[in-house]
Amino acid sequence: MITTLFSALNETLYMVFLSTLFSAVGGFGLALPMILTGPHGLRPNAGIYTALDTAVNLLRSFPFMILMIALIPFTRLVAGVAYGNTATVVPLTISAIPFMARLVEGSLLEVDPGVVEAARAFGASDSQIICRVMVKEALPSIILNLAVLAITLLGYSAMAGAIGGGGLGALAYNEGYIRFRADIMFCAVAVLIVVVQCLQSGGNYLYKKLR
Amino acid sequence: MITVRNIEKRYGNAPVLRDLSFSVKAGEIFGIVGHSGAGKSTLLRCFNGLTTYEGGSVKVMDREVADLNEEGLRELRRDMGMIFQNFSLMSRKNVFENVAFPLRIWNSRKPGRDPEITGRVMELLELVGLAEKRCERVQNLSGGQKQRIGIARALALNPKILLCDEATSALDPKTTLNILDLLQSINDRFNLTIVVVTHQMEVVKRLCHRLLLLDKGISRCMGKTEELFLAPPEGLKDLAGEEYALVPSGANIRILFPREISQQSVITDMARELDISFSIVGGKLERYIDDVLGFLVINVPDEHFERVCHHMRQKNLHWEILADDNNAFQRPQ
Ligand SMILES: Nc1ncnc2c1ncn2[C@@H]1O[C@H](COP(=O)(O)OP(=O)(O)OP(=O)(O)O)[C@@H](O)[C@H]1O
Ligand SMILES: [Mg+2]
């Protein structure tokens, strides 16, 4: 049982790590134009901001299960297959990008506008303000949000496990629930709890350290 | 140095600056004073293009601010330092890095820049007297120290003009004087032109050579500081005279405390015996001929006014009701 648990944990970490990585990059890339064109941004542009804002809301309102099924053709295109651990990374990433974009947007909005204004007053360009002031000041909060993202993706990956992906979710559902192996189910859930705790504590630690 | 002609500024339909014209001479300390919302900060931000204006002209060092493109604006700003009410330092950088920030922005591709930057930053930190704090995080500094760092940062690029937006409003009186002395000495040593925005009269009196009084975006008066304070026009009296703001509703009562009356017990006894609450609006120690040591101004809601009067009469207190304009008052019968 220990070995099954370990290989399931391995699969889960694989899915969570890759999808966190990709959606962090994607979410960051989406958050920057939102911050730039937002109402208090450096280059306010209501048109672009509304478009991005609406797109993010739209994607976020899809239930993950539905999104995953709707994305099957796309997943097959990207990953070559529609099911399995690697394939699951695709819908996980797509569903988490708008979520991460919101989190990063929130972190960047928390940066003291006075500090941004000061940088402008010394002649900093927009790109310098974003890289050297806003992202730098918001870094601890962005990292904390990264832990939130990873934990959310952990939950989703468990859900995805129930319909074709692997990992701890699949183990708990297929072996534990369907085949009445309560011990396996409890162990899988216990491991999930530990992973969530580790992610959150790691995030909190880095936040405190970087602040 | 700065010449403003008929400047007009609106936010939506609300005019914020209306038909202002004045100029700031090279090497002087120029004060812009007025009540909150008068448009002082807005006017200051027109000088370095942090806000735009709709009409008129602002010429800074012979450059029309509205005509500058992005690059031109950045170069103008390089020649103008700015300090802020809340210091606006980067919380995650230490003292040294905060001061170095403008230098790093402007010399990012210069070879051999690091020793040069280090030298310049240390020079600036010596100037503001905080060299030994160079590795400290800015959160661990006091308000006065933070503003010194703000000043050092503003001077990093050798600006010709220093803009100060309420630079001392968040500081206690003693620290305020320290910062003002520092600004004064910078003005003397480097012949730096300084524009000071403030609502604190002591700042103006101590620092500014000339001042402009703004009221709702309009210039009320302008001239040499000492002349204006010797014969203050109406608007300036408003701003200078008021020691405490009276609460507009209810009755404001000044209770005088001669030596034989203990202050605490009078106020607490009244609250306890009448079982009402009132707020303390202000107070001061003052010396009168009949040996009064101090007073407290309290604000009593209208419905309790009669009972409070009755109580004070019973206790033989010395008191008076303050009318809206502070100086005139009626003696109670
Ligand atoms: N970004 C803005 N959008 C809309 N109105 C604004 C904006 N900034 C300032 N105002 C308005 O412009 C007027 C002048 O503001 P300003 O900040 O220049 O006043 P101030 O004299 O600096 O006041 P204070 O002493 O409180 O700093 C105020 O009525 C304010 O409400
Ligand atoms: Mg202001």
Side-chain angles (χ1 to χ4, degrees):
Chain A
M1 191 172 101
I2 298 289
T3 45
T4 17
L5 266 177
F6 251 106
S7 72
L9 174 65
N10 228 344
E11 289 171 6
T12 293
L13 292 180
Y14 169 79
M15 289 189 286
V16 171
F17 176 76
L18 280 188
S19 54
T20 302
L21 186 69
F22 293 144
S23 53
V25 173
F28 208 80
L30 190 54
L32 289 186
M34 285 173 75
I35 276 294
L36 207 57
T37 58
H40 300 289
L42 294 167
R43 297 261 171 267
N45 183 321
I48 297 180
Y49 182 75
T50 315
L52 292 173
D53 189 57
T54 317
V56 164
N57 283 343
L58 211 79
L59 265 175
R60 285 193 62 196
S61 41
F62 271 88
F64 176 66
M65 285 300 224
I66 309 286
L67 188 75
M68 187 165 161
I69 294 165
L71 279 175
I72 284 177
F74 179 71
T75 304
R76 189 170 282 136
L77 199 73
V78 177
V81 286
Y83 299 100
N85 296 324
T86 309
T88 310
V89 171
V90 177
L92 282 178
T93 302
I94 302 281
S95 77
I97 283 177
F99 179 54
M100 186 58 183
R102 269 288 180 250
L103 292 178
V104 175
E105 186 195 19
S107 294
L108 291 175
L109 282 177
E110 274 167 31
V111 174
D112 176 7
V115 174
V116 175
E117 187 182 44
R120 282 223 296 155
F122 298 126
S125 65
D126 287 356
S127 63
Q128 286 171 329
I129 290 176
I130 287 187
C131 303
R132 297 200 192 177
V133 180
M134 298 185 76
V135 172
K136 183 142 183 108
E137 286 283 293
L139 197 67
S141 145
I142 290 175
I143 287 193
L144 199 59
N145 279 333
L146 220 52
V148 173
L149 175 76
I151 289 170
T152 308
L153 282 170
L154 187 73
Y156 282 177
S157 81
M159 232 194 284
I163 58 162
L168 288 166
L171 185 70
Y173 183 74
N174 296 334
E175 299 293 322
Y177 182 73
I178 304 280
R179 299 202 185 137
F180 303 111
R181 287 287 303 275
D183 54 338
I184 291 190
M185 191 168 79
F186 282 129
C187 286
V189 172
V191 173
L192 281 173
I193 291 174
V194 171
V195 174
V196 169
Q197 283 295 344
C198 289
L199 284 172
Q200 191 61 57
S201 319
N204 288 346
Y205 172 76
L206 283 175
Y207 178 78
K208 283 212 193 82
K209 190 157 173 159
L210 288 174
R211 248 176 79 119
Chain B
M1 224 38 184
I2 302 175
T3 308
V4 178
R5 291 258 161 279
N6 313 103
I7 187 177
E8 300 275 343
K9 167 78 187 170
R10 282 179 293 277
Y11 279 117
N13 285 327
V16 178
L17 301 173
R18 282 181 277 190
D19 199 24
L20 282 175
S21 298
F22 62 94
S23 58
V24 179
K25 296 180 210 150
E28 79 172 334
I29 304 182
F30 188 84
I32 299 173
V33 293
H35 286 291
S36 188
K40 310 181 293 290
S41 301
T42 308
L43 179 58
L44 196 70
R45 278 161 179 68
C46 289
F47 296 165
N48 61 357
L50 287 178
T51 47
T52 53
Y53 45 93
E54 273 89 46
S57 134
V58 176
K59 271 207 162 76
V60 180
M61 295 176 272
D62 300 319
R63 285 171 267 184
E64 176 68 47
V65 179
D67 293 346
L68 294 172
N69 61 10
E70 192 60 30
E71 224 24 58
L73 259 183
R74 290 187 57 203
E75 304 214 321
L76 179 73
R77 288 171 185 161
R78 184 171 57 176
D79 289 335
M80 303 175 83
M82 190 165 187
I83 56 179
F84 305 85
Q85 176 168 7
N86 296 317
F87 323 124
S88 297
L89 301 172
M90 277 184 270
S91 56
R92 293 193 54 229
K93 289 186 195 261
N94 65 18
V95 166
F96 182 96
E97 283 305 320
N98 264 289
V99 178
F101 180 68
L103 296 164
R104 294 207 194 284
I105 280 180
W106 280 98
N107 303 326
S108 55
R109 270 186 222 93
K110 220 162 141 191
R113 64 183 182 135
D114 275 355
E116 204 178 301
I117 287 180
T118 308
R120 176 71 184 141
V121 172
M122 288 319 292
E123 193 184 324
L124 290 159
L125 288 176
E126 297 285 350
L127 177 74
V128 299
L130 285 173
E132 76 281 7
K133 297 265 183 202
R134 63 184 172 278
C135 298
E136 196 77 49
R137 309 197 62 184
V138 289
Q139 286 119 305
N140 304 341
L141 299 180
S142 70
Q145 291 171 328
K146 284 183 187 163
Q147 196 58 287
R148 281 167 185 275
I149 301 302
I151 292 171
R153 178 177 67 173
L155 297 177
L157 296 166
N158 272 317
K160 314 274 186 311
I161 301 176
L162 179 64
L163 307 176
C164 311
D165 191 0
E166 305 273 10
T168 54
S169 299
L171 305 175
D172 63 57
K174 190 155 166 276
T175 318
T176 296
L177 291 184
N178 279 332
I179 296 291
L180 295 184
D181 285 347
L182 178 62
L183 289 173
Q184 178 92 62
S185 74
I186 290 167
N187 170 256
D188 285 345
R189 270 176 71 181
F190 307 114
N191 199 29
L192 186 73
T193 310
I194 303 183
V195 182
V196 177
V197 159
T198 185
H199 62 262
Q200 295 171 299
M201 279 305 124
E202 68 269 33
V203 171
V204 182
K205 285 182 193 161
R206 215 181 154 92
L207 197 62
C208 300
H209 305 143
R210 289 194 306 143
L211 69 85
L212 165 74
L213 176 65
L214 266 191
D215 184 19
K216 301 193 184 78
I218 302 172
S219 159
R220 287 289 292 270
C221 61
M222 197 181 85
K224 288 219 172 79
T225 307
E226 64 272 20
E227 286 169 16
L228 285 178
F229 275 102
L230 283 179
E234 204 47 44
L236 196 59
K237 242 188 257 168
D238 276 4
L239 203 62
E242 227 168 39
E243 311 254 56
Y244 42 82
L246 292 181
V247 180
S249 65
N252 293 295
I253 301 173
R254 190 199 323 244
I255 305 174
L256 306 172
F257 295 109
R259 176 163 289 153
E260 67 272 14
I261 298 177
S262 140
Q263 308 189 5
Q264 282 84 0
S265 67
V266 169
I267 297 294
T268 48
D269 284 352
M270 184 151 82
R272 206 179 297 125
E273 283 174 33
L274 299 180
D275 193 25
I276 61 170
S277 54
F278 43 80
S279 42
I280 294 177
V281 181
K284 199 178 183 180
L285 282 176
E286 277 182 340
R287 198 169 184 93
Y288 291 107
I289 309 143
D290 57 343
D291 202 23
V292 175
L293 286 180
F295 71 86
L296 269 182
V297 180
I298 62 171
N299 181 272
V300 179
D302 285 330
E303 64 263 32
H304 299 314
F305 179 65
E306 282 308 322
R307 289 174 62 211
V308 170
C309 290
H310 183 244
H311 176 87
M312 288 193 296
R313 243 174 261 133
Q314 268 187 342
K315 298 275 171 174
N316 261 330
L317 295 177
H318 305 260
W319 53 285
E320 59 204 26
I321 299 164
L322 296 175
D324 279 345
D325 64 317
N326 231 338
N327 299 321
F329 52 83
Q330 305 116 28
R331 283 247 170 238
Q333 267 72 56

